[in-house]
Amino acid sequence: MSELPVNIEDEMKNSYMDYAMSVIVGRALPDIRDGLKPVHRRILYAMHELGMSSDKSYKKSARIVGEVLGKFHPHGDVAVYDSMVRMAQDFSSRYMLIDGQGNFGSVDGDPSAAMRYTEVRLSKMSEEVLTDIHKNTVDFVPNFDGSLEEPSILPAKVPVLLINGSAGIAVGMATNMPPHNLSEVINGIILTIENPDVSTKELMKVIKGPDFPTGAYIVGRDGIRSAYDTGRGIIKLRAKADVKEDRILITEIPFQVNKAKLIENIADLVRENKVTDIADLRDETDRSGMCIAIELKPRANADLILNQLYKHTHLETTFGVINLVLVDGQPKVLGLKDMILQYIEHREQVITRRSSYELDKAEKRAHILEGLKVALDQIDDMITIIRQSQTREEASEKIADRFALSEEQVKAILDMRLHRLIALERKKLDDEYAQLERDIGRLREILGSEQEILGIIKEELTEIKEKYGDSRRTVITSEEPKLEMEDFIPEETVVVTLTNGGYIKRMPVDVYRSQRRGGRGIKGTRTKEEDFVEDLFVASTHDYFLFFTDNGRMHRIKAYEIPIASRHAKGKAIVNLLNLDKDENVTATISINDFDSEHFLVMATKKGVIKKTELAKFDSPYKCLRAVTLKDDVLVAVKLTDGEQEIILATKQGKAIRFSEKDVRSMGRTAAGVKGIRLREDDDVIAMDIILKNATLLTITENGYGKRTSIEEYRKQKRGGRGIINIKTSKRNGSAVDILEVRENDEIMITTSGGFVIRAPVKDVRIQGRSTQGVRLMRLEEGDKVVAVAKVLE
């Protein structure tokens, strides 16, 4: 045998195209006519041939799988069984084609039992799909080994593709068709028959949209309209949720959503604090129906929680419609009207072929009856001929010649039993012949008129609707305006406290009730002995809170995202509220109403760099941004300014510099900044504050010493200088650790590295000049150091 050279690229291309078309036509895509893929068609036909109708007993699934594999579908048994299982699942198929008995899986994703345990039979609906299959209504083709024949298509008295949909992935293409309500689809088909020029808009008045077996909601009609017009569209699905007192009850979930994974997803969100105010989560599903119970905490906003769950879980999902089907063996994307027209054309062909088959059968029977009538009229002559004949063949020839009868008529006469000679039988024969004449006339009338055929289609579909039609399960709602989370939050004034230990909470402002002058006040926050409130903000629930960390990042949240707590609760650790990196610490917190362009953020770093940026440049959809670019440096302080204020920077070695923020030009968000103070070797910036009139500057050192100094003693300089003396540092008092602008009536808390805290009124701290070491404010244990000072805001 001679060898022909073949280009490898051409061979690969041709071979792959053959494979792709084999998958497209033979496995993945449904036929537009009966709405079935080959495996589903073969399963139903095999069960039909086994006589497994809906009124017969169930048979083992393994028996059917073996029948399908051995005769029609030489692929894996798992593929056949899985396809059979889906046709028997009430949560997968809108109208089940197989009636199953046993464990066929669940909406929780539980697998079905093995095929040796489950039993099946055809459903009543599938019998309608197979009706008239042996009346020459469809073509039969050889099976895989040519030993048998199988139908290339099913008669499909029911529009399976539209009512059950289909899904499949081929090579380079996929189909994803939603199910619909049977009654609506039949109404749409009848409307199209009566008005072939019907528009998609008019069809949508009767076919409202997809109708999923699991119910739930379709939100908006734009996706439906697109899918019906073009064959492609995105449909938004949402679970059915009822709010009852302090509970949310989920009773229907979107199509193809795994309930067990959905519950696990909700639990994960609660565990990760992405969704708060959920106290308990239970699956209360039973025989009466699905129910996921979500218990809410007291005063929780159910609408807010639902909105969060819609956003973060599959309680809200989308169904991407791709109406890709096989039309004459070729994949095409069709709109709703084209699909209906293709189905009507298929049914016209089926009814035409069925009528031709029945006409041929009726004519043959009438022909036989005509011969029998002749025999009865001439019965004596017939008997004489038969008696005088030596063989059956001789009698046949004589009768045929004598009475001008066909071979089929003569055979029927010779096979006729004697009891047919009685008068009653003769009447039955005449009645049957008369009925056949009427049937033949009717069938010829049908075959001669397309309108008659269309009328039969309408009649049959109406009967189907009366037998199997049901109410819609999926409710279609209008598109809701896109709501942000804060749309569910009432705008009200709240108090937000942040403690020295890193705990934050939100409280209604009325917790701090108005008191007469001279009252004792009320306890605002229960803290540990070594913890205290360091920052207190009165803000709106819609205000932003900006948290700046030592590595130069800004984290942003809304006030309503801060957990609400009682007056005596300590709050929530801020590390659990923000997405902080390892070893990342919050160094400053600012509350703002919006990101206006009239305010600035001024930042100072450990190495003396200062930076000013317009607040508006931090407005971003991202919750974490780079606030300043650091080079082996640490962000130590951030202040909100109006562009007209004065700033003071203090260093570890007791230096300070006072300058106008106008000396710092405004720069971009990620800029590194400019020199704020020139540092000596081994010196670092420890703090920054805003200069206020009639205030003093409190400075604290690591060995527990401190002093207050009048602001007027700090002369104004240009930024970038070495500054002036703020406090004399020595071995006795140690390095400076913090500064704080204070007033006479303030109280301060001094914190040490060992966790000790001392509380003292500011008026007890002596006012001294800049070039002093201060006085002892706190006695420390050996090895302990002061780390910070803060105002007491309780």
Side-chain angles (χ1 to χ4, degrees):
M1 183 182 292
S2 60
E3 296 182 358
L4 296 175
V6 178
N7 187 307
I8 186 66
E9 292 182 4
D10 294 338
E11 181 62 27
M12 289 293 292
K13 184 185 298 183
N14 294 333
S15 296
Y16 192 75
M17 281 300 297
D18 290 341
Y19 162 72
M21 288 307 298
S22 173
V23 172
I24 291 168
V25 176
R27 295 194 194 183
L29 301 186
D31 194 289
I32 185 62
R33 294 169 290 178
D34 65 1
L36 299 172
K37 299 178 188 178
V39 64
H40 301 124
R41 188 178 302 122
R42 288 163 177 166
I43 290 170
L44 296 180
Y45 180 67
M47 293 177 70
H48 176 73
E49 291 300 287
L50 286 173
M52 298 176 62
S53 57
S54 61
D55 56 351
K56 299 295 192 301
S57 61
Y58 294 92
K59 288 184 173 60
K60 289 291 184 182
S61 299
R63 179 175 178 182
I64 289 83
V65 171
E67 185 83 2
V68 174
L69 288 179
K71 291 184 176 180
F72 309 117
H73 199 74
H75 300 285
D77 60 336
V78 174
V80 174
Y81 184 54
D82 284 352
S83 298
M84 183 189 298
V85 165
R86 283 187 60 80
M87 287 194 288
Q89 292 175 332
D90 60 359
F91 54 88
S92 294
S93 297
R94 181 63 177 85
Y95 300 93
M96 294 180 292
L97 298 180
I98 287 181
D99 180 8
Q101 182 171 265
N103 175 17
F104 281 87
S106 73
V107 74
D108 287 325
D110 300 318
S112 62
M115 67 180 81
R116 62 183 180 274
Y117 298 119
T118 60
E119 297 177 335
V120 293
R121 65 184 178 188
L122 290 173
S123 69
K124 291 183 179 181
M125 182 73 76
S126 61
E127 290 175 1
E128 305 288 355
V129 176
L130 291 154
T131 297
D132 301 328
I133 192 169
H134 291 303
K135 290 186 177 182
N136 194 33
T137 52
V138 295
D139 292 332
F140 278 70
V141 295
N143 69 341
F144 62 90
D145 62 1
S147 61
L148 296 168
E149 286 193 331
E150 61 176 310
S152 61
I153 206 75
L154 297 184
K157 196 174 180 181
V158 178
V160 175
L161 189 59
L162 283 165
I163 65 172
N164 269 348
S166 185
I169 300 174
V171 178
M173 58 184 69
T175 185
N176 198 36
M177 305 178 67
H180 290 79
N181 181 269
L182 176 65
S183 298
E184 291 184 4
V185 168
I186 289 176
N187 290 338
I189 295 172
I190 292 174
L191 178 62
T192 306
I193 291 173
E194 294 174 347
N195 178 17
D197 296 325
V198 65
S199 65
T200 302
K201 185 177 181 180
E202 291 171 323
L203 276 174
M204 286 184 66
K205 293 179 180 178
V206 291
I207 304 179
K208 308 294 185 183
D211 189 22
F212 297 99
T214 53
Y217 293 105
I218 292 175
V219 181
R221 291 177 170 81
D222 290 344
I224 300 173
R225 188 173 297 109
S226 174
Y228 287 175
D229 276 333
T230 67
R232 296 177 182 270
I234 304 296
I235 296 173
K236 185 191 292 186
L237 303 179
R238 180 176 287 180
K240 182 179 180 182
D242 298 316
V243 178
K244 294 185 178 180
E245 296 179 354
D246 57 350
R247 305 174 80 203
I248 297 175
L249 301 179
I250 310 296
T251 53
E252 295 174 7
I253 60 177
F255 184 51
Q256 295 177 334
V257 169
N258 185 309
K259 176 163 66 71
K261 289 185 178 179
L262 173 65
I263 294 172
E264 184 180 343
N265 190 198
I266 295 174
D268 288 341
L269 291 174
V270 175
R271 194 177 302 115
E272 295 167 5
N273 294 304
K274 291 183 179 178
V275 177
T276 58
D277 292 335
I278 292 181
D280 194 16
L281 177 65
R282 294 188 307 278
D283 186 356
E284 297 181 352
T285 303
D286 54 23
R287 292 182 181 274
S288 63
M290 179 184 296
C291 182
I292 302 171
I294 302 174
E295 300 283 350
L296 306 181
K297 294 179 180 178
R299 295 194 300 175
N301 187 324
D303 290 331
L304 170 62
I305 294 172
L306 259 180
N307 193 55
Q308 290 175 316
L309 293 178
Y310 287 145
K311 181 178 180 180
H312 296 293
T313 73
H314 283 159
L315 283 179
E316 183 176 285
T317 184
T318 57
F319 187 96
V321 178
I322 308 174
N323 292 336
L324 181 68
V325 293
L326 291 176
V327 181
D328 297 327
Q330 298 296 318
K332 290 185 179 180
V333 177
L334 301 180
L336 176 63
K337 183 180 176 182
D338 289 334
M339 293 173 64
I340 290 175
L341 290 173
Q342 288 287 339
Y343 174 74
I344 293 172
E345 183 181 339
H346 170 60
R347 286 303 295 169
E348 283 188 87
Q349 293 175 0
V350 168
I351 292 172
T352 300
R353 293 181 62 162
R354 182 184 71 191
S355 299
S356 296
Y357 172 85
E358 290 176 346
L359 176 61
D360 182 61
K361 187 177 179 181
E363 288 177 337
K364 286 180 179 178
R365 178 60 179 166
H367 182 63
I368 297 297
L369 291 181
E370 288 171 352
L372 293 177
K373 288 175 68 177
V374 170
L376 291 176
D377 290 339
Q378 306 291 333
I379 189 63
D380 293 332
D381 291 342
M382 291 281 181
I383 292 173
T384 300
I385 292 172
I386 293 171
R387 281 179 173 176
Q388 292 175 354
S389 300
Q390 300 298 316
T391 63
R392 182 185 178 96
E393 289 74 16
E394 182 183 346
S396 297
E397 290 176 3
K398 288 181 179 180
I399 292 172
D401 292 341
R402 173 74 180 273
F403 301 103
L405 300 175
S406 68
E407 182 180 344
E408 292 79 10
Q409 289 174 318
V410 173
K411 182 178 182 301
I413 291 170
L414 293 175
D415 291 338
M416 184 175 64
R417 295 183 180 184
L418 290 176
H419 78 272
R420 301 296 296 271
L421 298 176
I422 63 178
L424 183 61
E425 286 297 319
R426 172 60 188 257
K427 186 177 185 307
K428 286 184 178 179
L429 198 67
D430 291 340
D431 290 345
E432 183 183 356
Y433 185 74
Q435 182 61 48
L436 280 173
E437 284 187 319
R438 289 193 293 270
D439 291 345
I440 290 170
R442 173 60 180 158
L443 290 169
R444 285 176 176 166
E445 184 181 348
I446 291 170
L447 291 171
S449 170
E450 183 182 7
Q451 289 304 314
E452 290 290 340
I453 294 175
L454 293 174
I456 292 172
I457 295 174
K458 289 167 58 177
E459 289 176 10
E460 291 182 346
L461 287 173
T462 302
E463 290 175 4
I464 293 291
K465 183 175 74 170
E466 291 173 355
K467 287 171 67 176
Y468 306 105
D470 57 1
S471 58
R472 165 174 281 277
R473 296 183 188 177
T474 300
V475 177
I476 302 175
T477 64
S478 300
E479 181 71 57
E480 297 177 355
K482 189 171 183 180
L483 299 176
E484 298 297 332
M485 193 177 299
E486 66 184 57
D487 293 325
F488 297 96
I489 305 294
E491 188 163 358
E492 57 187 9
T493 304
V494 293
V495 175
V496 175
T497 61
L498 180 64
T499 73
N500 178 261
Y503 287 89
I504 192 169
K505 71 174 180 179
R506 169 169 58 101
M507 295 174 289
V509 73
D510 57 12
V511 166
Y512 292 86
R513 64 183 185 274
S514 176
Q515 295 186 353
R516 291 183 179 276
R517 179 176 58 84
R520 294 182 58 191
I522 60 173
K523 185 72 173 176
T525 299
R526 186 186 68 198
T527 61
K528 298 180 292 185
E529 289 186 6
E530 66 273 14
D531 200 6
F532 56 91
V533 174
E534 188 174 80
D535 282 310
L536 184 146
F537 304 89
V538 177
S540 163
T541 47
H542 289 196
D543 283 354
Y544 293 96
F545 275 78
L546 311 182
F547 300 90
F548 296 86
T549 63
D550 49 9
N551 68 4
R553 296 202 302 171
M554 181 201 80
H555 297 262
R556 183 182 82 176
I557 63 174
K558 284 278 195 174
Y560 60 76
E561 294 181 84
I562 298 171
I564 193 166
S566 68
R567 181 163 53 89
H568 301 291
K570 69 178 181 179
K572 184 174 185 176
I574 199 168
V575 294
N576 295 327
L577 195 63
L578 307 178
N579 187 22
L580 300 177
D581 289 339
K582 188 178 181 181
D583 299 327
E584 183 179 12
N585 300 299
V586 174
T587 56
T589 305
I590 291 172
S591 167
I592 61 170
N593 180 256
D594 57 24
F595 291 89
D596 62 66
S597 57
E598 298 177 358
H599 286 82
F600 298 86
L601 289 177
V602 177
M603 290 162 260
T605 74
K606 186 177 180 180
K607 291 188 176 181
V609 173
I610 194 162
K611 174 192 170 186
K612 182 172 76 170
T613 302
E614 286 183 13
L615 180 61
K617 292 185 177 179
F618 288 87
D619 189 9
S620 166
Y622 299 104
K623 288 201 167 188
C624 180
L625 294 173
R626 172 61 56 187
V628 59
T629 299
L630 302 175
K631 298 177 181 178
D632 299 323
D633 205 349
V634 174
L635 182 65
V636 295
V638 181
K639 298 294 181 181
L640 181 68
T641 71
D642 58 11
E644 303 287 336
Q645 292 173 295
E646 293 183 354
I647 295 167
I648 187 165
L649 294 176
T651 76
K652 181 174 67 175
Q653 293 183 6
K655 293 289 186 179
I657 186 170
R658 175 184 177 183
F659 57 89
S660 170
E661 69 167 295
K662 291 182 180 179
D663 292 347
V664 184
R665 63 178 175 83
S666 179
M667 56 194 74
R669 180 175 56 79
T670 59
V674 295
K675 185 67 69 177
I677 185 171
R678 192 175 302 278
L679 299 173
R680 292 183 172 82
E681 189 176 355
D682 296 330
D683 200 4
D684 298 315
V685 171
I686 56 169
M688 173 180 69
D689 214 336
I690 302 297
I691 298 296
L692 299 176
K693 293 181 179 180
N694 303 320
T696 56
L697 188 70
L698 172 68
T699 305
I700 301 292
T701 66
E702 62 182 354
N703 289 342
Y705 286 77
K707 69 178 180 70
R708 285 191 295 151
T709 303
S710 174
I711 291 296
E712 283 69 27
E713 291 198 30
Y714 297 87
R715 71 178 186 275
K716 192 173 178 180
Q717 297 178 270
K718 289 288 185 182
R719 70 159 182 85
R722 292 191 178 274
I724 59 177
I725 294 175
N726 173 37
I727 190 171
K728 286 278 189 179
T729 59
S730 64
K731 187 175 181 180
R732 171 175 168 265
N733 63 354
S735 301
V737 294
D738 208 352
I739 63 168
L740 192 64
E741 170 273 320
V742 293
R743 295 178 184 272
E744 193 73 15
N745 294 327
D746 289 339
E747 280 192 310
I748 58 172
M749 283 277 196
I750 303 171
T751 309
T752 74
S753 57
F756 290 97
V757 177
I758 187 172
R759 179 171 180 165
V762 165
K763 63 184 179 181
D764 290 348
V765 181
R766 187 186 307 169
I767 297 178
Q768 296 179 311
R770 289 187 297 102
S771 299
T772 59
Q773 294 188 28
V775 297
R776 185 183 295 277
L777 302 181
M778 184 177 186
R779 295 190 179 275
L780 304 177
E781 294 184 357
E782 187 175 351
D784 200 5
K785 299 288 185 182
V786 170
V787 292
V789 63
K791 292 180 185 178
V792 178
L793 300 176
E794 294 181 290

